[in-house]
Coordinates of all heavy atoms in Angstrom, one line a residue:
Q319 N -28.4 -6.0 9.8 CA -28.1 -5.6 8.4 C -27.6 -4.2 8.4 O -26.7 -3.8 7.6 CB -29.3 -5.7 7.5 CG -29.1 -5.4 6.1 CD -28.1 -6.4 5.4 OE1 -28.0 -7.5 5.9 NE2 -27.5 -5.9 4.3
S320 N -28.1 -3.3 9.3 CA -27.6 -1.9 9.3 C -26.1 -1.9 9.8 O -25.4 -1.1 9.4 CB -28.5 -1.1 10.3 OG -29.8 -1.1 9.8
V321 N -25.8 -2.8 10.8 CA -24.4 -2.8 11.2 C -23.5 -3.3 10.1 O -22.4 -2.7 9.9 CB -24.3 -3.8 12.4 CG1 -22.8 -3.9 12.9 CG2 -25.2 -3.3 13.5
L322 N -23.9 -4.2 9.3 CA -23.1 -4.7 8.2 C -23.0 -3.6 7.1 O -21.9 -3.4 6.5 CB -23.8 -5.9 7.5 CG -23.8 -7.2 8.4 CD1 -24.5 -8.3 7.7 CD2 -22.4 -7.6 8.8
L323 N -24.0 -2.8 6.9 CA -24.0 -1.7 6.0 C -23.0 -0.6 6.4 O -22.4 0.0 5.6 CB -25.4 -1.1 5.7 CG -26.3 -1.9 4.8 CD1 -27.7 -1.3 4.7 CD2 -25.8 -2.1 3.4
S324 N -23.0 -0.4 7.7 CA -22.1 0.7 8.2 C -20.7 0.3 8.2 O -19.8 1.2 8.1 CB -22.5 1.1 9.6 OG -22.2 0.0 10.5
H325 N -20.3 -1.0 8.2 CA -19.0 -1.5 8.2 C -18.2 -0.9 9.4 O -16.9 -0.8 9.3 CB -18.3 -1.1 6.9 CG -18.9 -1.8 5.7 ND1 -18.6 -3.1 5.4 CD2 -19.7 -1.3 4.8 CE1 -19.3 -3.4 4.3 NE2 -20.0 -2.4 3.9
L326 N -18.8 -0.5 10.5 CA -18.2 0.0 11.7 C -18.6 -0.9 12.8 O -19.7 -1.5 12.8 CB -18.6 1.4 12.0 CG -18.1 2.5 11.0 CD1 -18.6 3.8 11.4 CD2 -16.6 2.5 11.0
P327 N -17.7 -1.1 13.8 CA -18.0 -2.1 14.9 C -19.1 -1.6 15.8 O -19.2 -0.4 16.0 CB -16.6 -2.2 15.6 CG -15.9 -0.9 15.3 CD -16.4 -0.5 13.9
L328 N -19.7 -2.5 16.4 CA -20.7 -2.2 17.4 C -20.2 -2.8 18.7 O -20.0 -4.0 18.9 CB -22.1 -2.9 17.1 CG -23.2 -2.7 18.1 CD1 -23.6 -1.2 18.2 CD2 -24.4 -3.5 17.7
G329 N -20.0 -2.0 19.7 CA -19.4 -2.4 20.9 C -19.3 -1.3 21.9 O -19.9 -0.2 21.8
A330 N -18.5 -1.5 23.0 CA -18.3 -0.6 24.0 C -16.9 -0.7 24.6 O -16.3 -1.8 24.6 CB -19.3 -0.8 25.1
L331 N -16.4 0.4 25.2 CA -15.2 0.4 26.0 C -15.5 0.5 27.5 O -16.2 1.4 27.9 CB -14.3 1.6 25.5 CG -13.9 1.6 24.1 CD1 -13.2 2.9 23.7 CD2 -12.9 0.4 23.8
V332 N -15.0 -0.4 28.2 CA -15.4 -0.6 29.6 C -14.2 -0.3 30.5 O -13.1 -0.9 30.4 CB -15.9 -2.0 29.9 CG1 -16.3 -2.1 31.4 CG2 -17.2 -2.2 29.0
T333 N -14.3 0.7 31.4 CA -13.3 1.0 32.4 C -13.9 0.9 33.8 O -14.4 1.9 34.4 CB -12.7 2.4 32.2 OG1 -12.3 2.5 30.8 CG2 -11.4 2.6 33.1
P334 N -14.0 -0.3 34.4 CA -14.8 -0.5 35.6 C -14.3 0.3 36.8 O -15.2 0.8 37.5 CB -14.6 -2.0 35.9 CG -14.1 -2.6 34.6 CD -13.3 -1.6 34.0
L335 N -13.0 0.4 37.1 CA -12.6 1.1 38.3 C -12.1 2.6 37.9 O -11.2 3.1 38.5 CB -11.4 0.4 38.9 CG -11.7 -0.9 39.6 CD1 -10.5 -1.5 40.3 CD2 -12.8 -0.6 40.7
V336 N -12.8 3.2 37.0 CA -12.5 4.6 36.6 C -12.6 5.5 37.8 O -13.4 5.4 38.7 CB -13.4 5.1 35.5 CG1 -14.8 5.1 35.9 CG2 -12.9 6.4 35.0
K337 N -11.6 6.5 37.9 CA -11.6 7.4 39.0 C -12.5 8.6 38.6 O -12.5 9.1 37.5 CB -10.2 7.9 39.2 CG -10.0 8.8 40.4 CD -8.6 9.2 40.6 CE -8.4 10.2 41.8 NZ -7.0 10.6 41.9
Q338 N -13.3 9.1 39.6 CA -14.2 10.2 39.3 C -13.4 11.5 39.1 O -12.3 11.7 39.7 CB -15.1 10.4 40.5 CG -15.9 9.2 40.8 CD -16.8 8.7 39.7 OE1 -16.6 7.7 39.1 NE2 -17.8 9.5 39.4
N339 N -13.9 12.4 38.2 CA -13.3 13.6 37.9 C -13.5 14.6 39.1 O -14.5 14.5 39.8 CB -13.8 14.2 36.6 CG -13.4 13.4 35.4 OD1 -12.4 12.8 35.3 ND2 -14.3 13.4 34.4
P340 N -12.6 15.6 39.2 CA -12.9 16.6 40.3 C -14.2 17.3 40.1 O -14.6 17.7 39.0 CB -11.7 17.6 40.1 CG -10.6 16.8 39.5 CD -11.3 15.8 38.6
G341 N -14.9 17.5 41.1 CA -16.2 18.1 41.0 C -17.4 17.1 40.9 O -18.6 17.5 41.0
E342 N -17.1 15.8 40.7 CA -18.2 14.8 40.5 C -18.4 14.1 41.9 O -17.5 14.0 42.7 CB -17.8 13.8 39.5 CG -17.6 14.3 38.1 CD -17.2 13.3 37.1 OE1 -17.1 12.1 37.5 OE2 -17.0 13.6 35.9

Side-chain angles (χ1 to χ4, degrees):
Q319 184 65 24
S320 299
V321 180
L322 296 178
L323 284 177
S324 69
H325 296 282
L326 292 176
L328 179 63
L331 298 172
V332 177
T333 311
L335 287 184
V336 61
K337 185 179 180 181
Q338 304 300 110
N339 294 327
E342 296 179 3

